[in-house]
Each structure stands twice: as structure tokens, then as C-alpha cells.
């Protein structure tokens, strides 16, 4: 569980650092369209590079967690990265959190605490070849559906794209569990490896599109639902994930509470664009 929480801290902190760097790299008077040079300018910002490093570390910790914990526990912990983003944004971006949002942060922590007490080890089922092929089919379907969803009305588009991105991240979570041999020869013939690549790539593309073209809150809420509920069910039904004896009710309650708290913090799926820039000590605004 420590690795899962560490991954959430890395992802949540990286989101804020990258938002600060991207804002600093934006040129005055630039339009609202996509700026192809923005990434190059952002890469000159130490905060953006640090955010990328944290993303990489978070992904490694996520893989370690998925190899030792049930998917439902890891998924809920990753959704909790929104609580980390909210707290870090309040510190670095001077974003004011309402009493309700501070309560949501506490709710997420309580839900994760319940999950930590109730979750057992990862299931010992390695998954069937059919499940591996299904994960690849789902990953491809997510990409195709995302292409069509780009033509939907704004609110529906953000929700569908966000949900698709969450499902893509969920494919990654399940696929990690379906890869039991990491030798190059085995990876080359394992459909789960291709599902991981396609699912992860599709998720990033869909989430980026959702955040650019619609409501951040709606897109993030869809992503949280997509990356938690489906993978958790796959883990329980097909991979043998279980809870500690007699604590199934506590795991279900903790999962629901953590996800509900994350949904309440969905606006932090992307740092607020109107947040003030942090100033150096001793300077005035």
C-alpha cells in the first residue's frame, strides 16, 4: 500500500508542478489554441522536468503496487492523487479550498485507511489468454470510441473522453497483472503487453483532448470512474483479488468512500488556469 500511496503522491504533485511550468512558459498574448512550441518552452522549466520525473517514478511505484496488491486498492489510491493535487495546489498556486473540499480530502484519506485495513494480497490467478486478448480488444475499442466522441456536444464529449481515458488507464492496471514473464521473447507474444501500450497511449490522448475541449471537472470525474470500477471488478472476478477474512464489507465501504471523495475533488484534474503565480520571497505583486 505504501507504493500505491507513493504513486498517488507522485502523480498528484507532478500535476501541479507541470501546471505551474506550463503557465510560466506561456507567452503573453498567446491565443487559446494549441501552441506547438509550448512543450519545448515548458521543458526549459525545472518544475516541468521535475513533474515528468515524478510521473516516471509514480508509474514504477504503480507497477510494484499492482504486483502485490488487489487492483481495487491500487485504483482507489491512484484516484486519491486528486486529493494530493488539491493540497499541493493550495500551497503552490494559492488556490483556496472550501470547507467541503477539505472534507473531501479527509474522506479520501479515511477511505484509503479502510482499504488498507481490509485489503488482502493480490489474487493468485494469472488470467487466461482470452482475458489478455479481451484487454487488447478493449484498448483498441477505447481509441476508436474516443475518435467518435470528439464530435459529441461539449459536455457529453468531456464525459465520454474522460471515461474513455479512465478505462484506458484501467486496461494498463489489469494488463500489468497479466504479464507474468518479462523476457523480451515472452513480451513479444503476450497480447497484454500490446494492450498496455495501446491502452496507456489512448488514455493520454483522450484525457488531453477532454481537458482541452471540455469541462475539466466532468472529464476528470469520468476518468476516476473508468479507472476504478471496471478494473476492480476484473480483479475480483477473473484474477482472484480478495479481502481479509470477514472484512469484505470494510473494503467495499472504503473503496466507495475513497472514490466519492475523489469525485468531489474532480476540478483538480487540471490546475485552475486563473490561479495566481507564486512569487519569490520578498517580492511584491
Amino acid at each position: 500500500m505504501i507504493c500505491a500511496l507513493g504513486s498517488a503522491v507522485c502523480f498528484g504533485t507532478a500535476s501541479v508542478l507541470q501546471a505551474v511550468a506550463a503557465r510560466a512558459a506561456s507567452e503573453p498574448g498567446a491565443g487559446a489554441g494549441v501552441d506547438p512550441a509550448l512543450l519545448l518552452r515548458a521543458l526549459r522549466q525545472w518544475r516541468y522536468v521535475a513533474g515528468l520525473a515524478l510521473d516516471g517514478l509514480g508509474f514504477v511505484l504503480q507497477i510494484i503496487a499492482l504486483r502485490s496488491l488487489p487492483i481495487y486498492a491500487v485504483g482507489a489510491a491512484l484516484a486519491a492523487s486528486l486529493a494530493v493535487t488539491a493540497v499541493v495546489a493550495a500551497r503552490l498556486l494559492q488556490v483556496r479550498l472550501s470547507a467541503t473540499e477539505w472534507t473531501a480530502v479527509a474522506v479520501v484519506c479515511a477511505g484509503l485507511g479502510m482499504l488498507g485495513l481490509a485489503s488482502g494480497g493480490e489474487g493468485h490467478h494469472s488470467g487466461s489468454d482470452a482475458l489478455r486478448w479481451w484487454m487488447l480488444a478493449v484498448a483498441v475499442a477505447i481509441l476508436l470510441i474516443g475518435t467518435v466522441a470528439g464530435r459529441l456536444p461539449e459536455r457529453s464529449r468531456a464525459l465520454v473522453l474522460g471515461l474513455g481515458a479512465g478505462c484506458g488507464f484501467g486496461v494498463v492496471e489489469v494488463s500489468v497483472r497479466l504479464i507474468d514473464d518479462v523476457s523480451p521473447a515472452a513480451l513479444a507474444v503476450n497480447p497484454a503487453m500490446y494492450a498496455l501500450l495501446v491502452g496507456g497511449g489512448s488514455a493520454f490522448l483522450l484525457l488531453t483532448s477532454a481537458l482541452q475541449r471540455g469541462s475539466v471537472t466532468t472529464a476528470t470525474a469520468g476518468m476516476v470512474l473508468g479507472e476504478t470500477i471496471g478494473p476492480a471488478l476484473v480483479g475480483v472476478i477473473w484474477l482472484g483479488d480478495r479481502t481479509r477474512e470477514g472484512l469484505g464489507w470494510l473494503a467495499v465501504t472504503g473503496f466507495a468512500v475513497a472514490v466519492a471523495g475523489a469525485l468531489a475533488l474532480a476540478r483538480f484534474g487540471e490546475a485552475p488556469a486563473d490561479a495566481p503565480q507564486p512569487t519569490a520571497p520578498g517580492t511584491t505583486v
Side-chain angles (χ1 to χ4, degrees):
M1 196 65 175
I2 292 176
C3 287
L5 294 176
S7 179
V9 170
C10 288
F11 288 141
T13 305
S15 295
V16 179
L17 290 175
Q18 289 166 346
V20 172
R23 192 172 307 126
S26 298
E27 293 183 341
V34 177
D35 182 0
L38 177 61
L39 178 58
L40 294 177
R41 294 197 300 270
L43 285 171
R44 301 192 189 106
Q45 303 282 329
W46 70 265
R47 290 184 182 87
Y48 195 85
V49 176
L52 290 178
L54 284 173
D55 278 335
L57 177 59
F59 184 66
V60 172
L61 292 174
Q62 177 187 358
I63 291 177
I64 295 173
L66 286 167
R67 304 299 295 183
S68 58
L69 284 176
I71 293 176
Y72 64 78
V74 178
L78 293 179
S81 65
L82 290 173
V84 177
T85 298
V87 173
V88 176
R91 179 71 179 89
L92 294 184
L93 301 180
Q94 291 87 50
V95 175
R96 184 181 296 276
L97 300 186
S98 67
T100 300
E101 288 168 336
W102 279 117
T103 301
V105 171
V107 165
V108 169
C109 294
L112 292 177
M114 286 185 268
L115 272 175
L117 291 173
S119 62
E122 67 165 338
H124 296 296
H125 299 174
S126 60
S128 64
D129 288 338
L131 181 58
R132 292 178 174 85
W133 283 107
W134 269 111
M135 286 298 101
L136 179 55
V138 170
V140 173
I142 289 169
L143 183 59
L144 295 177
I145 292 173
T147 302
V148 176
R151 302 187 181 95
L152 293 174
E154 180 176 333
R155 188 168 184 83
S156 300
R157 180 174 62 229
L159 178 60
V160 174
L161 289 174
L163 185 61
C167 291
F169 289 128
V171 167
V172 172
E173 294 173 22
V174 175
S175 297
V176 168
R177 286 280 298 277
L178 295 175
I179 298 174
D180 47 12
D181 186 345
V182 295
S183 65
L187 291 176
V189 297
N190 190 341
M193 182 62 192
Y194 299 101
L196 187 154
L197 296 174
V198 176
S202 299
F204 278 112
L205 286 174
L206 267 59
L207 183 59
T208 300
S209 180
L211 295 178
Q212 286 178 341
R213 302 179 182 179
S215 165
V216 169
T217 301
T218 301
T220 306
M223 183 189 69
V224 169
L225 293 174
E227 72 178 348
T228 54
I229 297 176
L233 291 175
V234 172
V236 171
I237 297 172
W238 284 289
L239 297 178
D241 288 348
R242 294 293 181 266
T243 64
R244 294 182 182 178
E245 188 67 28
L247 293 181
W249 64 271
L250 185 60
V252 172
T253 302
F255 180 85
V257 166
V259 172
L263 290 174
L265 296 168
R267 79 177 177 97
F268 293 98
E270 184 179 65
D274 57 352
Q277 293 275 359
T279 57
T283 61
T284 58
V285 179

